[in-house]
Amino acid sequence: MAETNTMNFQAYLVDTFRAMKEEPVILILGGLLVHLLTVASMGLLAGPLIGGYFLLFILYLRDNRKPTFNDIFSGLQQIANLFPYFLVLLLIFLGFMFLILPGLLFATWWLYVLPLMVDRKIPFTEAMRLSMNKVNEAGFLMHLVFLLLISVIPFLLIDMVSAVIPFLLVLKFLLPPFQAGCLASLYIDQFSPPAASTFPGQENYSVSESRLAPLSGQEEADDDTAADGGNIAKTSNTTPVIDDDRKTEGNSDVPEAEGENSSP
């Protein structure tokens, strides 16, 4: 998918609800489990746990890969790379502690950090740079509105409705898959697929290698042709110059040599 500077909020909602409708058990229960484990770890494992949940959505929406229960914990395979995401959350939390505005600024700038880390397997510093550049390029205000639509506003609406109908408080269980699905759909829309992706079951697959493989025979032929041309040029350039007298002397010696070889 080509990169774009526009947002289609309706498409992101449609993608998310379609995924939740087709895979309700894995996405809803998995999101609840990830949320509980993240809280139990005091946010230290937020990167591997939430990252694996994001990757599940990304592969499902982008590659139509059916999710499994084990995919929920796929982020633990990248724990060394995803663990520093805790530092990003800490900076966002500290930003909210100082008049809220810095927290909103950081949360918006670094909206794509975790999807980039888990999907492209890049360090968090590089993901922070790419995320900030994309947010500034596509529009900071649009990303801020998106962040409010999937985080603050749903919480406020559920709290208001559940104050009248307490049973509707269970809608908060739908927030993790709703938020992850919308962000995964936005990420797919804003970022092109990586040049060489490594997904579960495709560890040895490389797009660049697969495209270059059919050309190996032609490249080998071109190398042979170039080598032959080089040998011909080398031969022509290294041919010794023989004087006419030496040439005549060499020709006169040939019959004698042949005569000596033909004698009994």
Side-chain angles (χ1 to χ4, degrees):
M1 182 180 297
E3 295 184 11
T4 176
N5 293 331
T6 61
M7 289 188 183
N8 190 339
F9 294 100
Q10 181 179 357
Y12 308 149
L13 292 174
V14 170
D15 286 344
T16 301
F17 286 117
R18 175 178 61 84
M20 294 172 61
K21 179 181 178 181
E22 295 177 354
E23 300 292 339
V25 177
I26 296 295
L27 298 182
I28 297 177
L29 294 182
L32 179 60
L33 179 60
V34 167
H35 176 72
L36 294 176
L37 292 176
T38 301
V39 173
S41 67
M42 302 182 64
L44 292 175
L45 296 179
L49 292 173
I50 303 177
Y53 191 59
F54 270 133
L55 185 61
L56 181 151
F57 261 106
I58 292 172
L59 295 180
Y60 182 73
L61 295 176
R62 184 181 62 194
D63 304 332
N64 199 27
R65 184 179 184 274
K66 185 177 178 63
T68 64
F69 185 78
N70 291 333
D71 291 336
I72 299 174
F73 305 100
S74 61
L76 296 175
Q77 300 175 3
Q78 304 183 48
I79 188 171
N81 182 48
L82 299 178
F83 181 80
Y85 182 70
F86 171 75
L87 300 177
V88 179
L89 293 180
L90 182 61
L91 291 175
I92 295 175
F93 174 77
L94 293 177
F96 278 108
M97 293 293 293
F98 293 98
L99 303 176
I100 299 179
L101 291 180
L104 286 175
L105 183 67
F106 294 156
T108 305
W109 270 343
W110 300 331
L111 187 64
Y112 299 110
V113 169
L114 190 54
L116 284 168
M117 290 175 66
V118 71
D119 184 41
R120 300 194 175 189
K121 297 178 176 58
I122 59 178
F124 79 100
T125 52
E126 178 68 12
M128 292 169 68
R129 184 186 65 82
L130 292 177
S131 179
M132 183 181 296
N133 290 342
K134 173 57 67 175
V135 170
N136 291 334
E137 173 189 339
F140 179 88
L141 181 60
M142 294 295 291
H143 282 85
L144 177 59
V145 172
F146 175 86
L147 181 63
L148 296 176
L149 287 176
I150 69 170
S151 57
V152 178
I153 295 178
F155 273 106
L156 294 178
L157 289 177
I158 293 176
D159 288 340
M160 292 173 57
V161 175
S162 61
V164 180
I165 308 176
F167 176 75
L168 295 180
L169 193 62
V170 298
L171 292 176
K172 286 189 175 182
F173 295 148
L174 300 178
L175 285 181
F178 168 76
Q179 294 169 336
C182 288
L183 182 54
S185 182
L186 173 65
Y187 166 77
I188 295 171
D189 185 39
Q190 294 294 319
F191 286 87
S192 298
S197 302
T198 304
F199 303 133
Q202 296 180 338
E203 289 79 0
N204 297 326
Y205 175 76
S206 172
V207 175
S208 58
E209 292 176 358
S210 65
R211 293 184 62 182
L212 293 176
L215 301 178
S216 59
Q218 181 66 30
E219 292 176 351
E220 183 178 358
D222 294 341
D223 292 341
D224 294 341
T225 304
D228 293 342
N231 293 334
I232 294 174
K234 182 178 179 180
T235 302
S236 60
N237 291 334
T238 57
T239 302
V241 179
I242 304 175
D243 296 337
D244 294 340
D245 296 338
R246 293 175 59 88
K247 186 185 299 183
T248 305
E249 181 180 355
N251 292 337
S252 63
D253 293 339
V254 171
E256 296 180 1
E258 291 179 354
E260 294 176 358
N261 293 334
S262 61
S263 61

